[in-house]
Amino acid sequence: MINSIETSDWREARRRSAHDAIIDAAWSLVSEEGLAGLTLRDLAQRAGISAPTVYAYFDSKNAIYDAMFGGAAMDFAECLAEPLDYDDARAALITRASRFSQFCTDSPTRYQLLFQRTIPGFEPSPESYAPAIRALEGTREQLALNGITEARHVDMWTALITGLVDQQVSNDLGGDRWTRLIDESVDMFLTHCQPARASRKPASRPARPKGAQK
Amino acid sequence: MINSIETSDWREARRRSAHDAIIDAAWSLVSEEGLAGLTLRDLAQRAGISAPTVYAYFDSKNAIYDAMFGGAAMDFAECLAEPLDYDDARAALITRASRFSQFCTDSPTRYQLLFQRTIPGFEPSPESYAPAIRALEGTREQLALNGITEARHVDMWTALITGLVDQQVSNDLGGDRWTRLIDESVDMFLTHCQPARASRKPASRPARPKGAQK
DNA sequence: GTCTATAGCTGGATAGAC
DNA sequence: GTCTATCCAGCTATAGAC
């Protein structure tokens, strides 16, 4: 990608690409067999290497899960960090919720890994977890732009949106039975939480014209 | 329990109690080791029998999960079926949501088994699943008593409540960070969904004075 | 770094005596 | 129905040659 790299970076790049190839194979595998269905043998076969070779890149099976988690968390943060329409705080909030929903329904396996802790002995490392925290911070800022700052309202928001997504993923995969309710749900939420605002579309934006997202 | 039972019922009763003892041991085990941590060896040890003896009562490991699921589903339906205050539809709805929440947070493992399908090869049998359907029907009726009949509003309700519970179970086990938001969330929901009603407390109940539950 | 071979373990399920 | 003994499959992870 970048011109003029040194010899040691060469090796590093090669190693990194093999590393990534294994993770790609892992995603491909779990998308078919489920998260718990990941085995080193199958993974190695799909990656075109032998099982022990995997250990040249990862210390353990959980290290593979952690790398998957870390990558997914970064994708997640990136997905939500893309610029929004700052002229309409409400529209931006809906967009954000839709992106979250889209991200989750795009890959239920990824959703399961990131948001439902279901793998027996696995806990993500703090490094892998960090981007997810950044994303929540972004949510908080986005809500603040809508005049919502109370902690309990932020909690209501996360419950509302994850509830919709969870129902969608659990009970209507591939459909839109719940995700299509995002608009109305956000309306309901804003009408309830926005303090002294009668109509839905805010006439004046609350402070801060830039820098909401990353 | 009942007087004058026949000899064949004796045997049946004994068998049933052994059956139940195994399921009890299974719940005890998964509450410590997690749902995926259930193994026939550990289960047998906790039940005070040998591993193969388990097969005298269950055809397979999944049959054990199914029995657990069935019992939990019946408890669930029963929990929600207890009589409510029919004088105040809104209060009854809140009570129902609180019971659901309580039921789920009482035993996260049971919640996981019933509502998050996370066990690799396991699908509950229709018989085991039936009570859960009954319970959802009860929810629908309870919502109808609040004047809420549109399908999309029923879906919004389930998403809202499961969202709160899910966040509670996932991120604040043992606390009440999200469950304490039930009241306010129900208010928000009713204010949004109740068609032509300005105030929260309905002056007149919509039809049907009895038979909401069960 | 990559392989073959295999250790070491744990799991579900079965055989057959009692 | 209950046991002991065992089978067989699958897994993660390591050893050691190349």
Side-chain angles (χ1 to χ4, degrees):
Chain A
M1 297 276 191
I2 304 170
N3 46 2
S4 82
I5 47 179
E6 296 169 16
T7 322
S8 63
D9 289 343
W10 256 35
R11 293 243 168 92
E12 187 55 30
R14 263 194 84 79
R15 184 179 170 79
R16 194 172 197 84
S17 87
H19 182 104
D20 292 352
I22 292 174
I23 295 300
D24 287 348
W27 281 114
S28 159
L29 187 58
V30 297
S31 75
E32 293 173 18
E33 307 291 336
L35 261 188
L38 178 67
T39 71
L40 294 183
R41 290 193 220 280
D42 292 349
L43 170 58
Q45 185 178 16
R46 188 157 305 212
I49 57 180
S50 71
T53 301
V54 175
Y55 285 91
Y57 297 94
F58 298 94
D59 288 340
S60 69
K61 186 182 178 179
N62 274 352
I64 296 171
Y65 279 129
D66 198 55
M68 294 170 77
F69 186 102
M74 286 187 57
D75 290 345
F76 177 66
E78 246 175 60
C79 168
L80 291 189
E82 274 174 34
L84 289 166
D85 175 9
Y86 294 120
D87 289 340
D88 186 341
R90 176 183 160 276
L93 201 58
I94 288 179
T95 300
R96 190 175 178 89
S98 298
R99 280 185 194 164
F100 173 65
S101 159
Q102 187 72 43
F103 181 87
C104 294
T105 53
D106 271 352
S107 168
T109 315
R110 187 175 56 182
Y111 172 71
Q112 193 185 354
L113 176 63
L114 274 180
F115 301 112
Q116 305 181 269
R117 302 293 166 67
T118 178
I119 298 168
F122 170 66
E123 282 287 322
S125 62
E127 303 85 77
S128 297
Y129 196 75
I133 296 179
R134 254 194 302 142
L136 178 61
E137 200 46 52
T139 297
R140 218 184 300 275
E141 293 176 15
Q142 193 64 51
L143 286 170
L145 286 178
N146 280 270
I148 290 160
T149 53
E150 289 186 57
R152 78 175 193 286
H153 285 158
V154 175
D155 286 344
M156 278 179 69
W157 169 264
T158 60
L160 182 66
I161 303 302
T162 63
L164 288 169
V165 169
D166 193 72
Q167 290 288 91
Q168 184 61 54
V169 170
S170 300
N171 302 320
D172 183 42
L173 246 182
D176 69 341
R177 179 169 162 191
W178 276 275
T179 54
R180 72 181 167 209
L181 302 174
I182 288 178
D183 256 73
E184 185 174 352
S185 297
V186 173
D187 269 347
M188 172 178 76
F189 176 79
L190 287 181
T191 300
H192 175 81
C193 293
Q194 282 182 338
R197 211 168 292 166
S199 75
R200 301 188 324 208
K201 301 223 177 185
S204 66
R205 298 207 307 285
R208 199 128 77 118
K210 73 158 210 129
Q213 296 290 118
K214 175 53 170 308
Chain B
M1 296 273 191
I2 304 170
N3 46 3
S4 83
I5 47 180
E6 296 169 18
T7 322
S8 63
D9 289 343
W10 257 35
R11 294 241 169 95
E12 188 54 30
R14 262 194 86 77
R15 184 179 168 79
R16 194 172 196 84
S17 88
H19 182 104
D20 292 352
I22 292 175
I23 296 300
D24 286 348
W27 281 114
S28 159
L29 187 58
V30 297
S31 75
E32 293 173 18
E33 307 291 336
L35 262 189
L38 178 66
T39 71
L40 294 182
R41 292 194 217 285
D42 292 349
L43 170 58
Q45 185 178 17
R46 186 158 305 212
I49 58 179
S50 71
T53 300
V54 175
Y55 284 91
Y57 297 93
F58 299 93
D59 287 340
S60 69
K61 186 182 178 181
N62 275 352
I64 296 171
Y65 279 129
D66 197 54
M68 295 170 77
F69 187 102
M74 286 187 56
D75 291 345
F76 178 64
E78 247 176 60
C79 169
L80 290 190
E82 275 173 34
L84 290 166
D85 174 10
Y86 294 121
D87 289 340
D88 186 342
R90 176 183 160 275
L93 200 58
I94 288 179
T95 300
R96 189 177 179 88
S98 298
R99 279 184 195 164
F100 173 66
S101 158
Q102 188 71 43
F103 181 87
C104 294
T105 54
D106 271 352
S107 168
T109 314
R110 188 175 55 182
Y111 171 71
Q112 194 185 351
L113 177 62
L114 275 181
F115 301 111
Q116 306 182 271
R117 303 291 167 69
T118 178
I119 299 168
F122 169 66
E123 282 287 322
S125 62
E127 304 86 77
S128 298
Y129 197 75
I133 295 179
R134 255 193 304 144
L136 179 60
E137 201 45 52
T139 296
R140 219 183 300 274
E141 294 177 14
Q142 193 65 52
L143 287 171
L145 285 179
N146 279 271
I148 290 160
T149 53
E150 290 187 53
R152 78 175 194 284
H153 286 158
V154 175
D155 286 343
M156 276 179 71
W157 170 263
T158 60
L160 182 66
I161 303 303
T162 62
L164 288 168
V165 169
D166 192 73
Q167 289 287 91
Q168 186 61 52
V169 170
S170 300
N171 303 319
D172 184 41
L173 246 182
D176 69 341
R177 180 168 161 190
W178 277 273
T179 54
R180 73 183 166 207
L181 302 174
I182 288 178
D183 256 74
E184 185 175 350
S185 297
V186 173
D187 269 347
M188 172 178 77
F189 176 79
L190 287 182
T191 300
H192 174 82
C193 293
Q194 281 181 338
R197 210 169 292 165
S199 73
R200 298 187 327 208
K201 303 225 175 184
S204 67
R205 299 207 306 283
R208 201 130 73 118
K210 75 159 207 130
Q213 296 292 116
K214 166 81 159 304

